[in-house]
Amino acid sequence: MNAESLPPGGRIEVWTEAGAGFPLVVSGPSGVGKTSLVDRLLALDRGTVRAITATTRPKREGEIEGESYHFFSEERFLQLRDRGEVVESARYNDAWYGTPRADLERNLAAGRCVVLNIEVQGAVQIRTRYPEAVLVFAIPPSWEALRDRLVRRGTDTPEAIEARIRRGREEMEEIDRYDYVVVNDDLERCAGDLAAIVRAERRRLDRIRGRRKSDGEDRR
Ligand code: 5GP
């Protein structure tokens, strides 16, 4: 059955079904708390799953291969990208970052909301490839609050902190490409906003129709 042949609201069981899976992009300046925000969303909503993305940057202390990222050599990364196994990619801080296709598409096909913590260039590529994606931009309550947070984190020199803030301001110029903005003044409240966005998006009629239309479809 396709969308055109759906009865116009007459059969209730058509609309009680779950909607199609969709990518949820979360971007925002470095230090705004995207990782904690996404962790909290995953705990609040069992229908969401994190996309493990790939990078060529060195592993930081405490990071785990296959959990934090897939850590690839530049050669391997470019090979995968050239084979079309990465759905978006971007150069950031002298390293490559990208989202592997297979896991993302498997999770979308299973009807999940797949959460991608990625930067702006990648977000734009996701929007082009998956028009049904939802793009959320997370901002701090103020630039001063972001600076305080980065200072407290203690992982950067004062110069590096200023560089992150400059970059954050540049990224914010792209905010019009996004669908929603959330303010991370309080983690619990902000994660609640994100969870509310996901819940509302799931109940969109076009996603429920979309599930029927995309059943068995290959996007490549
Ligand atoms: P970090 O090196 O601090 O973990 O991440 C640096 C930036 O890269 C963050 O803004 C993060 O959201 C972004 N990022 C992480 N994975 C990907 C990815 O697969 N694609 C893109 N485009 N950006 C990513």
Side-chain angles (χ1 to χ4, degrees), residues 1-7 11-21 108-109 111 204-218:
M1 199 200 259
N2 60 35
E4 285 70 41
S5 62
L6 283 177
R11 282 181 39 215
I12 209 162
E13 62 274 21
V14 168
W15 306 107
T16 57
E17 282 184 17
L108 291 176
R204 293 183 69 104
L205 292 177
D206 50 0
R207 293 199 194 283
I208 301 171
R209 290 192 194 98
R211 171 138 214 183
R212 302 180 147 249
K213 264 208 302 200
S214 68
D215 272 351
E217 221 175 66
D218 187 349

Side-chain angles (χ1 to χ4, degrees), residues 26-30 34-35 51-55 57-58 60 63 68-69 77 86 88-93 95-100 116-123 125-126 153 164 171:
V26 181
S27 304
S30 171
K34 282 167 289 173
T35 309
I52 310 295
T53 63
T55 183
R57 77 153 163 75
R60 292 186 194 131
E63 287 185 328
S68 319
Y69 279 106
F77 184 94
V86 170
E88 60 78 29
S89 62
R91 193 86 187 149
Y92 187 95
N93 278 348
W96 283 105
Y97 290 84
T99 305
L116 298 121
N117 170 351
I118 64 176
E119 52 68 72
V120 174
Q121 305 163 68
Q125 295 168 52
I126 290 289
R153 194 159 82 174
R164 283 184 192 276
E171 290 204 348

Side-chain angles (χ1 to χ4, degrees), residues 7-146:
R11 282 181 39 215
I12 209 162
E13 62 274 21
V14 168
W15 306 107
T16 57
E17 282 184 17
F22 59 96
L24 179 83
V25 170
V26 181
S27 304
S30 171
V32 76
K34 282 167 289 173
T35 309
S36 312
L37 205 51
V38 170
D39 283 347
R40 207 52 210 126
L41 172 65
L42 298 181
L44 287 172
D45 187 317
R46 288 164 37 110
T48 57
V49 62
R50 183 205 311 272
I52 310 295
T53 63
T55 183
T56 61
R57 77 153 163 75
K59 203 190 282 180
R60 292 186 194 131
E61 202 171 311
E63 287 185 328
I64 299 166
E65 160 61 37
E67 277 185 30
S68 319
Y69 279 106
H70 298 290
F71 293 96
F72 290 161
S73 67
E74 182 141 337
E75 190 188 358
R76 171 118 194 262
F77 184 94
L78 294 176
Q79 224 171 43
L80 291 175
R81 193 192 63 172
D82 294 346
R83 278 200 247 131
E85 290 176 26
V86 170
V87 292
E88 60 78 29
S89 62
R91 193 86 187 149
Y92 187 95
N93 278 348
D94 288 334
W96 283 105
Y97 290 84
T99 305
R101 188 172 61 81
D103 273 0
L104 173 65
E105 302 233 324
R106 187 175 43 76
N107 280 316
L108 291 176
R112 300 196 179 101
C113 163
V114 187
V115 188
L116 298 121
N117 170 351
I118 64 176
E119 52 68 72
V120 174
Q121 305 163 68
V124 173
Q125 295 168 52
I126 290 289
R127 163 75 91 210
T128 305
R129 187 153 183 164
Y130 303 92
E132 75 278 24
V134 177
L135 273 54
V136 181
F137 201 90
I139 57 169
S142 67
W143 294 113
E144 291 67 38
L146 183 68

Side-chain angles (χ1 to χ4, degrees), residues 163-177:
R164 283 184 192 276
I165 290 172
R166 266 199 308 280
R167 177 148 210 155
R169 285 182 188 270
E170 278 167 27
E171 290 204 348
M172 253 201 90
E173 285 171 23
E174 305 293 325
I175 199 164
D176 283 343
R177 298 176 181 273

